mmCIF file of all heavy atoms in Angstrom:
data_model
loop_
_atom_site.group_PDB
_atom_site.id
_atom_site.type_symbol
_atom_site.label_atom_id
_atom_site.label_comp_id
_atom_site.label_asym_id
_atom_site.label_seq_id
_atom_site.Cartn_x
_atom_site.Cartn_y
_atom_site.Cartn_z
ATOM 1 N N SER Q 169 0.388 26.878 -57.579
ATOM 2 C CA SER Q 169 1.056 27.953 -58.316
ATOM 3 C C SER Q 169 2.514 27.609 -58.578
ATOM 4 O O SER Q 169 3.052 27.876 -59.664
ATOM 5 C CB SER Q 169 0.981 29.262 -57.516
ATOM 6 O OG SER Q 169 -0.353 29.658 -57.358
ATOM 7 N N ALA Q 170 3.136 27.028 -57.577
ATOM 8 C CA ALA Q 170 4.534 26.655 -57.736
ATOM 9 C C ALA Q 170 4.687 25.669 -58.890
ATOM 10 O O ALA Q 170 5.620 25.777 -59.703
ATOM 11 C CB ALA Q 170 5.069 26.057 -56.445
ATOM 12 N N LEU Q 171 3.778 24.719 -58.987
ATOM 13 C CA LEU Q 171 3.835 23.750 -60.077
ATOM 14 C C LEU Q 171 3.641 24.448 -61.422
ATOM 15 O O LEU Q 171 4.306 24.132 -62.409
ATOM 16 C CB LEU Q 171 2.768 22.667 -59.882
ATOM 17 C CG LEU Q 171 3.033 21.686 -58.730
ATOM 18 C CD1 LEU Q 171 1.806 20.826 -58.450
ATOM 19 C CD2 LEU Q 171 4.243 20.800 -59.054
ATOM 20 N N LEU Q 172 2.713 25.413 -61.440
ATOM 21 C CA LEU Q 172 2.467 26.145 -62.680
ATOM 22 C C LEU Q 172 3.706 26.917 -63.104
ATOM 23 O O LEU Q 172 4.073 26.945 -64.278
ATOM 24 C CB LEU Q 172 1.291 27.118 -62.487
ATOM 25 C CG LEU Q 172 -0.092 26.466 -62.448
ATOM 26 C CD1 LEU Q 172 -1.138 27.428 -61.907
ATOM 27 C CD2 LEU Q 172 -0.476 25.984 -63.846
ATOM 28 N N GLU Q 173 4.358 27.527 -62.140
ATOM 29 C CA GLU Q 173 5.547 28.317 -62.447
ATOM 30 C C GLU Q 173 6.690 27.447 -62.963
ATOM 31 O O GLU Q 173 7.588 27.941 -63.638
ATOM 32 C CB GLU Q 173 6.015 29.087 -61.209
ATOM 33 C CG GLU Q 173 5.229 30.385 -61.009
ATOM 34 C CD GLU Q 173 5.442 30.953 -59.615
ATOM 35 O OE1 GLU Q 173 6.546 30.755 -59.066
ATOM 36 O OE2 GLU Q 173 4.493 31.565 -59.085
ATOM 37 N N LEU Q 174 6.652 26.182 -62.602
ATOM 38 C CA LEU Q 174 7.672 25.267 -63.110
ATOM 39 C C LEU Q 174 7.343 24.824 -64.535
ATOM 40 O O LEU Q 174 8.033 23.984 -65.111
ATOM 41 C CB LEU Q 174 7.788 24.044 -62.203
ATOM 42 C CG LEU Q 174 8.476 24.298 -60.850
ATOM 43 C CD1 LEU Q 174 8.277 23.122 -59.916
ATOM 44 C CD2 LEU Q 174 9.964 24.581 -61.060
ATOM 45 N N GLY Q 175 6.234 25.357 -65.072
ATOM 46 C CA GLY Q 175 5.902 25.060 -66.460
ATOM 47 C C GLY Q 175 4.970 23.874 -66.642
ATOM 48 O O GLY Q 175 4.734 23.418 -67.759
ATOM 49 N N ARG Q 176 4.428 23.370 -65.544
ATOM 50 C CA ARG Q 176 3.527 22.225 -65.672
ATOM 51 C C ARG Q 176 2.170 22.709 -66.197
ATOM 52 O O ARG Q 176 1.665 23.745 -65.778
ATOM 53 C CB ARG Q 176 3.363 21.533 -64.322
ATOM 54 C CG ARG Q 176 4.689 21.082 -63.721
ATOM 55 C CD ARG Q 176 5.328 19.962 -64.538
ATOM 56 N NE ARG Q 176 6.709 19.727 -64.106
ATOM 57 C CZ ARG Q 176 7.382 18.608 -64.372
ATOM 58 N NH1 ARG Q 176 6.830 17.636 -65.086
ATOM 59 N NH2 ARG Q 176 8.618 18.469 -63.960
ATOM 60 N N ARG Q 177 1.593 21.940 -67.103
ATOM 61 C CA ARG Q 177 0.349 22.365 -67.752
ATOM 62 C C ARG Q 177 -0.852 21.581 -67.265
ATOM 63 O O ARG Q 177 -1.916 22.110 -67.055
ATOM 64 C CB ARG Q 177 0.463 22.141 -69.284
ATOM 65 C CG ARG Q 177 1.623 22.839 -69.918
ATOM 66 C CD ARG Q 177 1.273 24.314 -70.122
ATOM 67 N NE ARG Q 177 2.427 25.144 -69.818
ATOM 68 C CZ ARG Q 177 2.715 26.274 -70.473
ATOM 69 N NH1 ARG Q 177 1.938 26.690 -71.445
ATOM 70 N NH2 ARG Q 177 3.758 26.989 -70.120
ATOM 71 N N ARG Q 178 -0.680 20.280 -67.161
ATOM 72 C CA ARG Q 178 -1.815 19.438 -66.764
ATOM 73 C C ARG Q 178 -1.569 18.944 -65.337
ATOM 74 O O ARG Q 178 -0.925 17.929 -65.126
ATOM 75 C CB ARG Q 178 -1.958 18.253 -67.724
ATOM 76 C CG ARG Q 178 -2.275 18.701 -69.154
ATOM 77 C CD ARG Q 178 -2.424 17.522 -70.104
ATOM 78 N NE ARG Q 178 -3.372 16.515 -69.653
ATOM 79 C CZ ARG Q 178 -4.688 16.656 -69.653
ATOM 80 N NH1 ARG Q 178 -5.214 17.793 -70.069
ATOM 81 N NH2 ARG Q 178 -5.470 15.681 -69.241
ATOM 82 N N ILE Q 179 -2.102 19.700 -64.400
ATOM 83 C CA ILE Q 179 -1.870 19.384 -62.985
ATOM 84 C C ILE Q 179 -3.087 18.670 -62.411
ATOM 85 O O ILE Q 179 -4.199 19.210 -62.432
ATOM 86 C CB ILE Q 179 -1.595 20.657 -62.171
ATOM 87 C CG1 ILE Q 179 -0.412 21.414 -62.797
ATOM 88 C CG2 ILE Q 179 -1.329 20.308 -60.717
ATOM 89 C CD1 ILE Q 179 -0.114 22.729 -62.128
ATOM 90 N N ALA Q 180 -2.872 17.474 -61.935
ATOM 91 C CA ALA Q 180 -3.977 16.704 -61.354
ATOM 92 C C ALA Q 180 -4.069 16.963 -59.856
ATOM 93 O O ALA Q 180 -3.117 17.434 -59.224
ATOM 94 C CB ALA Q 180 -3.773 15.217 -61.614
ATOM 95 N N PHE Q 181 -5.236 16.643 -59.299
ATOM 96 C CA PHE Q 181 -5.433 16.769 -57.855
ATOM 97 C C PHE Q 181 -5.943 15.437 -57.315
ATOM 98 O O PHE Q 181 -6.947 14.915 -57.795
ATOM 99 C CB PHE Q 181 -6.441 17.881 -57.552
ATOM 100 C CG PHE Q 181 -6.670 18.093 -56.074
ATOM 101 C CD1 PHE Q 181 -5.909 19.012 -55.363
ATOM 102 C CD2 PHE Q 181 -7.655 17.376 -55.396
ATOM 103 C CE1 PHE Q 181 -6.117 19.206 -54.011
ATOM 104 C CE2 PHE Q 181 -7.867 17.564 -54.037
ATOM 105 C CZ PHE Q 181 -7.092 18.483 -53.336
ATOM 106 N N ILE Q 182 -5.240 14.898 -56.348
ATOM 107 C CA ILE Q 182 -5.675 13.636 -55.747
ATOM 108 C C ILE Q 182 -6.155 13.877 -54.326
ATOM 109 O O ILE Q 182 -5.449 14.492 -53.528
ATOM 110 C CB ILE Q 182 -4.525 12.605 -55.715
ATOM 111 C CG1 ILE Q 182 -4.146 12.186 -57.134
ATOM 112 C CG2 ILE Q 182 -4.918 11.378 -54.895
ATOM 113 C CD1 ILE Q 182 -3.050 11.121 -57.179
ATOM 114 N N GLY Q 183 -7.343 13.411 -54.042
ATOM 115 C CA GLY Q 183 -7.837 13.494 -52.671
ATOM 116 C C GLY Q 183 -9.049 14.375 -52.490
ATOM 117 O O GLY Q 183 -9.359 14.778 -51.369
ATOM 118 N N ALA Q 184 -9.748 14.673 -53.560
ATOM 119 C CA ALA Q 184 -10.976 15.439 -53.400
ATOM 120 C C ALA Q 184 -12.004 14.547 -52.717
ATOM 121 O O ALA Q 184 -12.125 13.369 -53.020
ATOM 122 C CB ALA Q 184 -11.496 15.882 -54.762
ATOM 123 N N ASP Q 185 -12.688 15.107 -51.749
ATOM 124 C CA ASP Q 185 -13.721 14.361 -51.037
ATOM 125 C C ASP Q 185 -14.541 15.420 -50.335
ATOM 126 O O ASP Q 185 -14.190 15.910 -49.269
ATOM 127 C CB ASP Q 185 -13.102 13.402 -50.019
ATOM 128 C CG ASP Q 185 -14.172 12.661 -49.221
ATOM 129 O OD1 ASP Q 185 -15.350 13.077 -49.276
ATOM 130 O OD2 ASP Q 185 -13.829 11.683 -48.552
ATOM 131 N N THR Q 186 -15.645 15.780 -50.997
ATOM 132 C CA THR Q 186 -16.382 16.967 -50.556
ATOM 133 C C THR Q 186 -16.925 16.844 -49.144
ATOM 134 O O THR Q 186 -17.233 17.838 -48.510
ATOM 135 C CB THR Q 186 -17.553 17.259 -51.520
ATOM 136 O OG1 THR Q 186 -18.224 16.022 -51.761
ATOM 137 C CG2 THR Q 186 -17.032 17.819 -52.824
ATOM 138 N N LYS Q 187 -17.007 15.606 -48.658
ATOM 139 C CA LYS Q 187 -17.522 15.455 -47.301
ATOM 140 C C LYS Q 187 -16.520 15.936 -46.258
ATOM 141 O O LYS Q 187 -16.892 16.312 -45.158
ATOM 142 C CB LYS Q 187 -17.891 13.981 -47.043
ATOM 143 C CG LYS Q 187 -19.364 13.679 -47.264
ATOM 144 C CD LYS Q 187 -19.625 12.185 -47.168
ATOM 145 C CE LYS Q 187 -19.033 11.470 -48.382
ATOM 146 N NZ LYS Q 187 -19.189 10.017 -48.351
ATOM 147 N N VAL Q 188 -15.254 15.885 -46.619
ATOM 148 C CA VAL Q 188 -14.230 16.307 -45.671
ATOM 149 C C VAL Q 188 -13.799 17.725 -46.016
ATOM 150 O O VAL Q 188 -13.331 18.001 -47.119
ATOM 151 C CB VAL Q 188 -13.020 15.355 -45.720
ATOM 152 C CG1 VAL Q 188 -11.949 15.823 -44.754
ATOM 153 C CG2 VAL Q 188 -13.464 13.948 -45.395
ATOM 154 N N ASN Q 189 -13.943 18.595 -45.060
ATOM 155 C CA ASN Q 189 -13.727 20.000 -45.320
ATOM 156 C C ASN Q 189 -12.286 20.314 -45.707
ATOM 157 O O ASN Q 189 -12.033 21.158 -46.564
ATOM 158 C CB ASN Q 189 -14.127 20.806 -44.085
ATOM 159 C CG ASN Q 189 -14.542 22.212 -44.455
ATOM 160 O OD1 ASN Q 189 -15.026 22.439 -45.557
ATOM 161 N ND2 ASN Q 189 -14.334 23.141 -43.557
ATOM 162 N N THR Q 190 -11.346 19.618 -45.085
ATOM 163 C CA THR Q 190 -9.946 19.817 -45.431
ATOM 164 C C THR Q 190 -9.755 19.617 -46.926
ATOM 165 O O THR Q 190 -9.110 20.421 -47.605
ATOM 166 C CB THR Q 190 -9.065 18.795 -44.685
ATOM 167 O OG1 THR Q 190 -9.347 18.886 -43.298
ATOM 168 C CG2 THR Q 190 -7.605 19.072 -44.928
ATOM 169 N N ALA Q 191 -10.324 18.540 -47.420
ATOM 170 C CA ALA Q 191 -10.194 18.231 -48.839
ATOM 171 C C ALA Q 191 -10.858 19.312 -49.679
ATOM 172 O O ALA Q 191 -10.306 19.754 -50.699
ATOM 173 C CB ALA Q 191 -10.821 16.872 -49.131
ATOM 174 N N ALA Q 192 -12.016 19.742 -49.250
ATOM 175 C CA ALA Q 192 -12.726 20.775 -50.002
ATOM 176 C C ALA Q 192 -11.887 22.047 -50.084
ATOM 177 O O ALA Q 192 -11.763 22.659 -51.153
ATOM 178 C CB ALA Q 192 -14.069 21.066 -49.346
ATOM 179 N N GLN Q 193 -11.285 22.430 -48.966
ATOM 180 C CA GLN Q 193 -10.489 23.656 -48.952
ATOM 181 C C GLN Q 193 -9.272 23.542 -49.860
ATOM 182 O O GLN Q 193 -8.942 24.473 -50.602
ATOM 183 C CB GLN Q 193 -10.036 23.973 -47.528
ATOM 184 C CG GLN Q 193 -11.188 24.396 -46.632
ATOM 185 C CD GLN Q 193 -10.696 25.074 -45.370
ATOM 186 O OE1 GLN Q 193 -9.567 25.543 -45.327
ATOM 187 N NE2 GLN Q 193 -11.540 25.122 -44.363
ATOM 188 N N ARG Q 194 -8.627 22.404 -49.811
ATOM 189 C CA ARG Q 194 -7.416 22.261 -50.627
ATOM 190 C C ARG Q 194 -7.767 22.208 -52.112
ATOM 191 O O ARG Q 194 -7.041 22.727 -52.957
ATOM 192 C CB ARG Q 194 -6.630 21.021 -50.173
ATOM 193 C CG ARG Q 194 -6.137 21.231 -48.748
ATOM 194 C CD ARG Q 194 -5.250 20.155 -48.190
ATOM 195 N NE ARG Q 194 -4.926 20.544 -46.802
ATOM 196 C CZ ARG Q 194 -4.206 19.826 -45.958
ATOM 197 N NH1 ARG Q 194 -3.702 18.662 -46.337
ATOM 198 N NH2 ARG Q 194 -3.972 20.262 -44.744
ATOM 199 N N LEU Q 195 -8.907 21.611 -52.397
ATOM 200 C CA LEU Q 195 -9.375 21.596 -53.780
ATOM 201 C C LEU Q 195 -9.660 23.026 -54.236
ATOM 202 O O LEU Q 195 -9.296 23.421 -55.357
ATOM 203 C CB LEU Q 195 -10.643 20.740 -53.889
ATOM 204 C CG LEU Q 195 -11.266 20.635 -55.284
ATOM 205 C CD1 LEU Q 195 -10.274 20.050 -56.283
ATOM 206 C CD2 LEU Q 195 -12.531 19.788 -55.254
ATOM 207 N N THR Q 196 -10.266 23.801 -53.375
ATOM 208 C CA THR Q 196 -10.550 25.196 -53.693
ATOM 209 C C THR Q 196 -9.266 25.962 -54.013
ATOM 210 O O THR Q 196 -9.195 26.701 -54.998
ATOM 211 C CB THR Q 196 -11.270 25.879 -52.509
ATOM 212 O OG1 THR Q 196 -12.463 25.171 -52.240
ATOM 213 C CG2 THR Q 196 -11.581 27.330 -52.837
ATOM 214 N N GLY Q 197 -8.259 25.770 -53.170
ATOM 215 C CA GLY Q 197 -6.983 26.447 -53.405
ATOM 216 C C GLY Q 197 -6.387 26.054 -54.740
ATOM 217 O O GLY Q 197 -5.869 26.904 -55.482
ATOM 218 N N TYR Q 198 -6.484 24.786 -55.047
ATOM 219 C CA TYR Q 198 -5.982 24.261 -56.310
ATOM 220 C C TYR Q 198 -6.693 24.937 -57.483
ATOM 221 O O TYR Q 198 -6.061 25.432 -58.430
ATOM 222 C CB TYR Q 198 -6.203 22.745 -56.298
ATOM 223 C CG TYR Q 198 -6.220 22.041 -57.625
ATOM 224 C CD1 TYR Q 198 -5.047 21.684 -58.274
ATOM 225 C CD2 TYR Q 198 -7.440 21.678 -58.216
ATOM 226 C CE1 TYR Q 198 -5.082 21.007 -59.479
ATOM 227 C CE2 TYR Q 198 -7.484 20.998 -59.420
ATOM 228 C CZ TYR Q 198 -6.298 20.666 -60.056
ATOM 229 O OH TYR Q 198 -6.343 19.984 -61.242
#
Side-chain angles (χ1 to χ4, degrees):
Chain Q
S169 297
L171 289 169
L172 285 165
E173 278 165 32
L174 287 168
R176 303 293 169 161
R177 303 281 140 145
R178 297 180 53 73
I179 304 176
F181 181 91
I182 293 182
D185 177 346
T186 46
K187 264 173 289 178
V188 179
N189 206 28
T190 306
Q193 291 196 20
R194 295 185 181 177
L195 179 59
T196 302
Y198 159 82

